[in-house]
Amino acid sequence: MSKPPKNAAWGGRFALGPSEIMQKINVSLDIDKRLYAQDIAASLAHAAMLARRKIISPEDGEAIARGLVQIKNEIETGLFPFRAEHEDIHLNIEARLAEIAGPAAGRLHTARSRNDQVATDFRLWVRDAVDRLDARTRDLQAALLDRAERHAATIMPGFTHMQPAQPVTFGHHLMAYVEMLGRDRGRFKDCRARANESPLGAAALAGTSFPIDRDATARDLGFDRPAANSMDAVSDRDFALEFLAAAAIAGLHLSRFAEEIVLWSAPNFGFVALSDAFTTGSSIMPQKRNPDAAELVRAKTGRLNGDLVVLLTVMKGLALTYAKDLQEDKAPVFDAADTLELCLAATAGMVLDLRVDEAAMRAAAAAGFSTATDLADWLVRVLDLPFREAHHRAGALVKRAETLGCDLAGLPLAEMQKVEPRVTADVFAVLSVEKSVASRASFGGTAPAEVRKAIAAARKRFL
């Protein structure tokens, strides 16, 4: 009988084929080798604790520590011999440690499982990623604040339903994103706080019979405390899900701003322009300047959303405690961290690069009867009309101005008095966009003086 072909429908109870395919699906080294620094830090803390507790000898502890330091240097100088047959970064480091430290290396895994080892490394990595992203987000806030301060009194149209609504200032508009980013930083801070519990010492799932000191290893690694339940410690990935949720929301905010840059830089808006540093041309249309950096920031939000959905889907059916499914937890988190960090840097670059056409913004703010609300407010304040009635009269005046082809400031007093006889010439004082913006002096409003106060307060809160 002839031998079945390799991997022919997994014939003959897998007939020689699965080992190679199993290795391909099982190996995670290309992804998780990014955890090398965290893995070495956690191993150093674990070995030091074992030696202090006399679970291993001081000599073995020192040999392990020397070997781990050498391995870290080898990795960072490109000399480390990564081997796929060792499956992941943890076993690669362990195998190399055995070559360097000999039999002492075999004692490192005392009172530890790969389950708590991986969970510890991953928490440490996420904690570091949060710190990097916080710094990037702070940089973007600083760029927005500087630009907002420069344009605290630059008038532009505010929109609802993408229709001109009321005049605002460009500085006020930018400050909205400063607030969004502040909430993003708060979400990452909360994520970091909940992630900052050490799984180390939970072992496979049940704890260990060795007299370890989990408080000491938690403290040495900068954790607030050891995780309270060994089963939860090795199976929990809430911290990764929170990280991905925070990243997705932050990406959403960046995408909204990117969309506005795309709109504002289009000729039919003409509010801003980006330099060659953040635009590209067309292969066929020589006049084109495409805001590709903004478009790519907008698009990459989809990756951040997808990364969150990936891990939610991985986790949704897992019984306690560990399952190999959890090997798939790192790729979406690494991708999200890289993507968001790049998008934050690109957005900060665009903010600093923007050239603002103040005249175009002001002209657009004056169009579309944007001071109609100011007219209604005047009717309430001066003529004591109920606001709903004033709103109706102001709407009628807008309609009359449309018919005559003028704006509200150009509507003759006589025409106004046909709608409301008590209107006086004083009404024209509130119908300019400058007066409209200046009058919005309530806390959080768009009046330039309020915008400047908000900028000063935000510098104290965020920078």
Side-chain angles (χ1 to χ4, degrees):
M1 187 170 65
S2 62
K3 188 176 180 179
K6 188 175 182 180
N7 192 28
W10 305 96
R13 192 67 171 174
F14 309 144
L16 304 181
S19 60
E20 181 181 349
I21 292 174
M22 180 62 191
Q23 183 179 12
K24 287 182 178 179
I25 198 171
N26 194 49
V27 170
S28 61
L29 178 60
D30 285 346
I31 293 171
D32 62 30
K33 64 184 178 183
R34 293 179 64 161
L35 296 172
Y36 79 88
Q38 291 77 20
D39 191 73
I40 290 171
S43 291
L44 285 167
H46 184 65
M49 180 275 297
L50 292 176
R52 285 196 303 268
R53 301 290 290 180
K54 299 183 172 30
I55 298 170
I56 65 174
S57 70
E59 294 77 17
D60 284 344
E62 290 171 6
I64 289 168
R66 284 195 303 270
L68 289 171
V69 171
Q70 179 179 329
I71 289 169
K72 188 170 189 286
N73 182 64
E74 289 178 354
I75 293 174
E76 292 178 347
T77 56
L79 299 176
F80 185 84
F82 289 107
R83 297 188 178 97
E85 61 265 28
H86 293 315
E87 184 180 320
D88 58 27
I89 186 61
H90 320 289
L91 294 183
N92 265 265
I93 290 175
E94 185 175 317
R96 179 63 179 143
L97 184 62
E99 294 173 355
I100 296 170
R107 301 189 182 280
L108 173 59
H109 215 53
T110 307
R112 186 178 75 170
S113 161
R114 255 197 308 176
N115 292 356
D116 63 330
Q117 180 181 3
V118 170
T120 302
D121 297 352
F122 197 18
R123 283 177 185 257
L124 290 170
W125 193 94
V126 167
R127 195 175 70 184
D128 292 342
V130 166
D131 294 343
R132 290 194 304 273
L133 289 170
D134 184 73
R136 284 288 191 189
T137 309
R138 183 185 181 279
D139 289 345
L140 176 52
Q141 286 182 301
L144 287 165
L145 284 164
D146 288 346
R147 184 52 66 105
E149 195 158 40
R150 196 182 317 169
H151 292 285
T154 299
I155 295 172
M156 69 175 293
F159 296 90
T160 62
H161 307 275
M162 274 309 298
Q163 303 296 314
Q166 291 179 269
V168 296
T169 71
F170 188 46
H172 189 56
H173 195 120
L174 294 177
M175 287 299 294
Y177 288 98
V178 173
E179 292 297 322
M180 293 181 211
L181 294 168
R183 294 193 295 275
D184 292 328
R185 292 177 70 186
R187 272 182 283 271
F188 278 118
K189 181 180 179 182
D190 291 344
C191 166
R192 193 189 194 285
R194 276 185 286 275
N196 210 33
E197 295 184 351
S198 174
L200 194 57
L205 76 161
T208 178
S209 59
F210 290 94
I212 62 172
D213 186 347
R214 292 190 63 207
D215 288 301
T217 52
R219 184 172 56 251
D220 289 348
L221 292 170
F223 287 111
D224 293 330
R225 63 192 70 84
N229 181 280
S230 62
M231 297 179 74
D232 182 52
V234 299
S235 63
D236 170 45
R237 294 298 185 272
D238 287 2
F239 64 94
L241 289 167
E242 281 195 68
F243 178 87
L244 291 172
I249 296 171
L252 180 152
H253 292 151
L254 298 182
S255 180
R256 295 182 74 180
F257 185 60
E259 168 68 3
E260 299 208 286
I261 290 176
V262 171
L263 291 173
W264 294 341
S265 62
N268 46 335
F269 275 79
F271 293 174
V272 302
L274 289 167
S275 75
D276 294 351
F278 291 95
T279 58
T280 64
S282 165
S283 64
I284 188 173
M285 296 170 284
Q287 83 282 7
K288 292 293 292 300
R289 181 185 289 277
N290 300 321
D292 281 8
E295 291 173 1
L296 288 166
V297 168
R298 184 177 61 186
K300 287 181 185 295
T301 303
R303 287 181 65 166
L304 296 170
N305 295 345
D307 289 331
L308 173 59
V309 172
V310 165
L311 189 53
L312 285 168
T313 306
V314 167
M315 296 297 300
K316 72 176 183 62
L318 297 187
L320 294 178
T321 54
Y322 183 83
K324 193 68 170 181
D325 308 52
L326 290 175
Q327 183 168 290
E328 294 299 311
D329 59 359
K330 295 162 202 69
V333 171
F334 293 165
D335 180 70
D338 292 346
T339 299
L340 183 56
E341 189 167 6
L342 177 60
C343 288
L344 286 164
T347 305
M350 286 188 286
V351 170
L352 296 172
D353 187 67
L354 282 178
R355 298 193 307 275
V356 178
D357 189 331
E358 297 184 16
M361 284 187 170
R362 194 216 174 275
F369 307 103
S370 63
T371 58
T373 303
D374 299 275
L375 172 57
D377 288 347
W378 186 90
L379 294 172
V380 170
R381 281 196 311 271
V382 178
L383 302 186
D384 199 28
L385 290 178
F387 182 79
R388 283 300 172 202
E389 186 177 343
H391 182 282
H392 180 77
R393 303 283 176 87
L397 290 170
V398 167
K399 184 176 181 180
R400 185 60 182 157
E402 282 182 319
T403 301
L404 295 176
C406 63
D407 60 15
L408 285 173
L411 188 63
L413 180 60
E415 292 293 332
M416 289 191 179
Q417 289 173 337
K418 289 178 182 178
V419 174
E420 172 49 65
R422 293 180 294 164
V423 171
T424 68
D426 292 344
V427 73
F428 293 103
V430 303
L431 296 182
S432 73
V433 290
E434 288 79 10
K435 289 287 188 179
S436 175
V437 165
S439 71
R440 298 302 193 263
S442 57
F443 177 78
T446 194
E450 283 300 312
V451 173
R452 293 186 181 98
K453 289 179 186 176
I455 292 168
R459 289 190 187 280
K460 292 180 180 178
R461 288 164 59 201
F462 299 127
L463 302 186

